[in-house]
Amino acid sequence: MAAMLDIRTSNGKLITIPWGLFINNQFVPSLKGSTVDVQNPWNDEKLGTISAATLEDVNAAVKAASAAFSSKWKGIPASARGTLLSKLATLIERDAEVLATIEAIDAGVLYGDSKNLNVPQAIDTLRYFAKLAGEPGGQLLDITGGYAHVLRQPYGVCAAIVPWNAPLMITMWKLAPALAVGNTIVIKTPELTPLYGQKLAQLIKEAGFPPGVVNIICGLGRVAGQALAEHMEVRKISFTGSGPTGRSILRAAANTNLKKVTLELGGKGASLVFADADLENALFWTSLGSTAHNGQVCALGSRIYVQSSIYDKFIQAFKTRASGQATSHGDPLNESTNKGPLVSSGQHKKILQYIDKGRDEGASVLFGGKALGNGNFVENTVFTNTREDMTIVREEIFGPVAVIAKFDSEEEVIHKANDSEYGLSAAVFTSDSSRAHRVSQALEVGTVTVNCWGMLNANTPFGGVKQSGFGRDLGKEALEEWTTVKTVKHFLLGSAKL
Ligand code: NAD
């Protein structure tokens, strides 16, 4: 019987989850007895303690994944892999309330957002890839004297390193395609929000995945994450997180076994609002797109460019709308709360420093700009009168801070939107479909949404260009990311000629 951690929530629920590392379908303590404290995002108070992986535990998890790949998983029919993914989706659906509660208490995500958006997205992802199991593509080609099969095969042991902002959903973006095509996996959950991983591990076991196919370990990035990135038996690593960590993982892969790396990094999304846009619609999406989950969203539309002729009207309406958006900050489990806490005091401090920097560099605060009450809350903040070289315009803040600036021509706003080292996402608001098409083509990003913001779909690829990373989660493209290519050439006897 695994040792359990009990957490009593503010609304009187009892969450009981194992606190060990999940290796070979067992919950085990760290071999060196290492632990990590899990903190309440409101005030950093301790919620509990769970095991944290060190190098020895990472080695054990990789060994389990390797044994599972060579013995059981490799030979299992694709349809059986799909069935297991579907079962996991059903179990997550059954336990959606518990998982949403965990995301609320651990990551500060509003309970309703987690239950209605993050958890369903995780389920959709599993169901989408369950159907694609056995469809990793491949081709049959004509060659002189015979034919060639181009096969797509799993890498073997893979790893995933996940950030704290929407951990369950992002874990599924990696786990589902990786398993659908026949890999085994070690998942390192974020040390700031690891509790979802403990619950998920229980569901993996209940779904009936063979031991070692999925291993879930929490641990510090520079310890467990680094050990995975350097591991000689891990053949592919998929990372979502910050640019500096992405670079460190790339270096670790280069210095060790040249494992395949995919990186989903940060963003500084632009929202382009043209004068011909439906104003109400643009206001709705740009205000949501710059404040959702307290701005702790990689695809945030934190640079809003508005055409000059509607700028004043837009600014007034945006201010009214945004001030009505965060009227009640507090407990993310409480249904009346519309603004939860940031993930940690570190994040709180970092965001306030960015706001100070914005003021120091001469931008004007349209609204917000202060800490909110006690705990890790910051007002939704918008700056105007910005210059393109200001820190708050160039750097990812990962908080509820946006800038609004004017533009005159289409050409000018495309230039401004592309004048960024980031290239994850952008949004275009216009009622002119030719313009929508033209501008979408010209934007240097991985995803453009037209007359809308966000919108993740399991069947559409998601990822970045430039320093937002490379590789894609979701969509059929993800299957390619988790497979390697083998060419097999068949020649009819005597027909191959030099
Ligand atoms: P982070 O880079 O600090 O941490 C991400 C993960 O990497 C954590 O699990 C952490 O433990 C681990 N890690 C840290 N140092 C490591 C190391 N040296 N080696 C291996 N692993 C290490 O990022 P974060 O603060 O958790 O997340 C915020 C960042 O993630 C933002 O930049 C955000 O834009 C980005 N993000 C991107 C996407 C996307 O899909 N593109 C989605 C969510 C978040």
Side-chain angles (χ1 to χ4, degrees):
M1 176 69 181
M4 305 301 271
L5 170 68
D6 289 336
I7 300 173
R8 179 70 63 184
T9 67
S10 60
N11 57 7
K13 287 195 178 135
L14 183 67
I15 302 283
T16 300
I17 40 179
W19 58 259
L21 305 167
F22 184 67
I23 300 175
N24 241 336
N25 277 10
Q26 302 295 323
F27 289 94
V28 293
S30 157
L31 289 164
K32 287 261 166 99
S34 175
T35 57
V36 67
D37 286 343
V38 186
Q39 291 167 328
N40 183 331
W42 285 47
N43 48 16
D44 295 349
E45 260 174 26
K46 187 167 145 184
L47 283 174
T49 300
I50 65 167
S51 288
T54 59
L55 174 65
E56 295 72 13
D57 305 306
V58 168
N59 287 341
V62 172
K63 194 169 165 198
S66 178
F69 182 71
S70 357
S71 61
K72 311 158 211 119
W73 195 241
K74 210 173 183 176
I76 204 168
S79 59
R81 297 197 299 265
T83 304
L84 285 167
L85 291 173
S86 296
K87 268 195 198 162
L88 181 59
T90 305
L91 294 177
I92 290 180
E93 202 164 40
R94 182 197 69 191
D95 289 354
E97 289 184 6
V98 178
L99 284 158
T101 303
I102 289 175
E103 244 181 13
I105 61 172
D106 199 13
V109 181
L110 294 178
Y111 175 80
D113 284 0
S114 182
K115 176 131 187 288
N116 302 323
L117 298 170
N118 295 2
V119 176
Q121 227 284 326
I123 295 167
D124 280 356
T125 303
L126 282 164
R127 293 201 167 130
Y128 173 73
F129 285 107
K131 281 198 205 118
L132 292 181
E135 254 190 61
Q139 299 175 71
L140 186 61
L141 300 171
D142 242 349
I143 54 174
T144 309
Y147 61 94
H149 277 132
V150 182
L151 304 176
R152 286 219 157 251
Q153 296 190 311
Y155 281 96
V157 179
C158 296
I161 299 183
V162 181
W164 45 259
N165 59 333
L168 176 69
M169 180 178 93
I170 296 175
T171 297
M172 289 310 133
W173 293 0
K174 301 179 188 307
L175 175 148
L179 299 189
V181 296
N183 298 289
T184 57
I185 195 162
V186 179
I187 295 161
K188 193 202 85 60
T189 55
E191 59 270 43
L192 279 177
T193 61
L195 297 183
Y196 82 99
Q198 305 301 114
K199 175 69 192 168
L200 176 64
Q202 279 185 313
L203 301 183
I204 299 269
K205 192 166 175 173
E206 187 180 343
F209 284 90
V213 169
V214 182
N215 305 276
I216 301 181
I217 55 175
C218 177
L220 297 181
R222 62 178 187 281
V223 179
Q226 183 79 16
L228 276 174
E230 289 177 347
H231 206 290
M232 293 300 287
E233 278 184 71
V234 172
R235 297 295 168 191
K236 160 166 179 156
I237 189 159
S238 172
F239 169 74
T240 298
S242 65
T245 308
R247 283 170 206 275
S248 155
I249 288 170
L250 209 47
R251 275 195 298 273
N255 290 338
T256 54
N257 65 345
L258 291 176
K259 57 180 66 62
K260 157 107 171 173
V261 178
T262 50
L263 300 178
E264 299 269 5
L265 307 176
K268 189 76 187 175
S271 294
L272 287 56
V273 184
F274 288 91
D276 60 10
D278 176 320
L279 192 62
E280 264 308 299
N281 180 66
L283 284 164
F284 175 81
W285 288 110
T286 52
S287 54
L288 180 70
S290 55
T291 54
H293 188 27
N294 265 315
Q296 301 171 123
V297 175
C298 54
L300 202 71
S302 54
R303 291 182 294 149
I304 303 170
Y305 294 106
V306 182
Q307 202 153 20
S308 303
S309 58
I310 58 162
Y311 180 81
D312 292 338
K313 192 170 163 194
F314 182 91
I315 289 278
Q316 278 317 314
F318 192 93
K319 198 172 166 181
T320 311
R321 182 173 290 264
S323 50
Q325 221 170 18
T327 45
S328 166
H329 72 279
D331 186 349
L333 281 176
N334 190 333
E335 276 183 23
S336 64
T337 301
N338 56 17
K339 185 175 179 66
L342 297 158
V343 75
S344 66
S345 56
Q347 192 71 4
H348 185 250
K349 189 170 159 204
K350 190 183 113 185
I351 290 162
L352 290 173
Q353 282 169 348
Y354 269 114
I355 292 174
D356 286 345
K357 189 102 181 162
R359 281 199 188 93
D360 292 348
E361 291 183 0
S364 315
V365 175
L366 178 70
F367 58 80
K370 296 191 297 298
L372 194 55
N374 295 322
N376 298 323
F377 297 88
V378 174
E379 288 178 334
N380 290 351
T381 300
V382 166
F383 283 99
T384 54
N385 293 325
T386 52
R387 290 185 319 273
E388 293 301 295
D389 63 350
M390 285 180 174
T391 310
I392 52 167
V393 178
R394 305 211 72 79
E395 293 186 13
E396 182 188 45
I397 298 174
F398 221 56
V401 183
V403 298
I404 306 186
K406 276 182 206 175
F407 70 90
D408 289 314
S409 70
E410 186 178 308
E411 194 185 11
E412 177 196 348
V413 74
I414 290 171
H415 172 77
K416 283 183 168 163
N418 286 343
D419 183 20
S420 169
E421 273 305 306
Y422 289 110
L424 190 61
S425 61
V428 181
F429 296 89
T430 177
S431 52
D432 176 342
S433 58
S434 300
R435 187 204 298 282
H437 193 66
R438 226 170 27 239
V439 175
S440 304
Q441 294 263 345
L443 290 170
E444 295 165 359
V445 291
T447 300
V448 181
T449 47
V450 177
N451 291 325
C452 178
W453 169 83
M455 293 293 138
L456 291 163
N457 306 94
N459 62 348
T460 57
F462 181 75
V465 298
K466 302 202 272 191
Q467 291 195 37
S468 289
F470 45 80
R472 292 291 177 270
D473 283 328
L474 303 176
K476 284 196 174 168
E477 283 71 9
L479 298 178
E480 293 180 9
E481 303 288 351
W482 292 93
T483 48
T484 183
V485 173
K486 182 188 282 174
T487 306
V488 183
K489 298 183 180 184
H490 300 257
F491 293 98
L492 309 175
L493 271 181
S495 57
K497 292 195 176 60
L498 286 177

